[in-house]
Amino acid sequence: MKHLFYAALLLLLPYGLVAENAEPGTFTVVIDAGHGGKDSGTRSATSLEKNIALKVALKLRDALKAKGIRVVLTRSTDVFVPLYERIEKANDVKASLFISLHCNSLPYNKKNRSSIRGVETYVSGFGRLDEQDIAIRENASILLEKDYKKNYNGYDPKDPETIILLSLMKNAYRTKSIQLATLIQKEYRKAGRIDRGVHEKSLAVLARASMPAVLTEIGYLSSPAEEKYMNSEAGQEEISNGILNAILAFR
């Protein structure tokens, strides 16, 4: 564990320095459609997380551009992008915000699986060992990457204990990230969604962000009602417009 401790600290340094020295520029939002390509994410009988995330990402892109905001997508098609490349892209373009879009789901053996609904938004932070189910699931995409141990300095996304190491690469923009996440949840509530709160988790895709960064779970694919909503044009428009309004309020 000790070698991972020092590796995590080394990973943090360059990103912190880049953030401090970056020149002010155009307000830029990086939208990350979760999963993609060989990584389908969570699924239902008829839907894949990667497809819904991409559709919402494209709608959010168009809505932001209509407001004159510069937008960069981590992917615009059904391709696999390693987690570290997603946040590197945001750092490279000196993004003002990073927003990762995902769908939630409960395991098939969970009681009342189909009745659980709602939305929640995450920021990079420390999570309890017994509350790492979301982190383990989202970080599992790392296993699909070639040389993932090299890319993440030996990090094992299947081991809850090593998830704690991501909290060493603490997001310097924690307060601003929480502010953005709170605004997103507020917009979800306005639309009548069930608010499941803002949480801190050790998520690889957010750990090295040099800007406020959030991962938002836009609904449960394990809920037939929310699956139908997320697949509908009206639902996708409502979700993207809510996130747009949160960004405008944050800005």
Side-chain angles (χ1 to χ4, degrees):
M1 293 285 285
K2 186 177 290 186
H3 72 284
L4 287 172
F5 175 88
Y6 291 114
L9 292 179
L10 288 172
L11 279 169
L12 175 61
L13 283 172
Y15 288 95
L17 292 172
V18 168
E20 291 297 324
N21 297 330
E23 292 292 327
T26 304
F27 188 83
T28 302
V29 177
V30 171
I31 304 170
D32 173 44
H35 307 281
K38 61 186 177 181
D39 177 16
S40 62
T42 192
R43 64 177 67 208
S44 68
T46 58
S47 305
L48 297 177
E49 177 181 4
K50 66 174 184 177
N51 295 335
I52 293 174
L54 181 58
K55 288 177 182 178
V56 174
L58 294 175
K59 289 184 182 299
L60 179 56
R61 175 199 62 186
D62 294 343
L64 286 166
K65 282 188 172 182
K67 295 293 184 180
I69 295 174
R70 181 188 180 210
V71 180
V72 176
L73 297 177
T74 59
R75 68 179 182 97
S76 58
T77 58
D78 184 20
V79 295
F80 176 72
V81 181
L83 295 183
Y84 75 95
E85 288 186 9
R86 296 170 190 251
I87 204 62
E88 277 185 1
K89 188 170 189 176
N91 290 331
D92 288 344
V93 302
K94 294 181 171 59
S96 308
L97 298 176
F98 178 87
I99 299 176
S100 190
L101 303 172
H102 290 259
C103 300
N104 221 330
S105 185
L106 287 176
Y108 284 95
N109 62 352
K110 285 286 185 180
K111 187 178 180 180
N112 301 324
R113 179 178 186 268
S114 63
S115 65
I116 301 299
R117 297 179 291 126
V119 284
E120 51 200 337
T121 302
Y122 293 86
V123 302
S124 179
F126 179 83
R128 290 163 55 96
L129 282 179
D130 58 352
E131 295 175 350
Q132 290 294 346
D133 52 322
I134 293 287
I136 291 172
R137 187 180 73 232
E138 299 299 356
N139 291 345
S141 298
I142 291 172
L143 294 173
L144 298 176
E145 299 176 21
K146 184 179 180 181
D147 298 327
Y148 76 87
K149 288 187 177 180
K150 177 182 177 182
N151 294 335
Y152 300 95
N153 295 81
Y155 168 72
D156 182 358
K158 297 179 292 185
D159 182 357
E161 290 187 7
T162 63
I163 290 172
I164 294 174
L165 291 166
L166 287 178
S167 65
L168 296 172
M169 298 177 281
K170 190 67 177 178
N171 188 349
Y173 298 89
R174 176 180 177 273
T175 301
K176 288 292 186 181
S177 296
I178 292 173
Q179 179 185 347
L180 175 59
T182 301
L183 288 168
I184 291 173
Q185 289 298 122
K186 180 180 179 181
E187 291 297 325
Y188 288 148
R189 288 197 305 275
K190 285 183 182 179
R193 310 293 302 283
I194 296 173
D195 181 5
R196 301 181 68 87
V198 173
H199 309 279
E200 291 187 70
K201 294 289 183 185
S202 299
L203 296 164
V205 73
L206 303 181
R208 297 192 293 178
S210 293
M211 74 292 299
V214 301
L215 183 152
T216 187
E217 301 273 4
I218 63 175
Y220 277 79
L221 273 180
S222 50
S223 162
E226 290 207 333
E227 177 189 11
K228 182 178 180 181
Y229 172 79
M230 290 187 289
N231 274 305
S232 70
E233 282 287 327
Q236 292 168 12
E237 288 283 351
E238 190 167 74
I239 293 166
S240 60
N241 285 335
I243 298 173
L244 166 68
N245 291 335
I247 292 170
L248 296 176
F250 177 88
R251 185 183 180 189

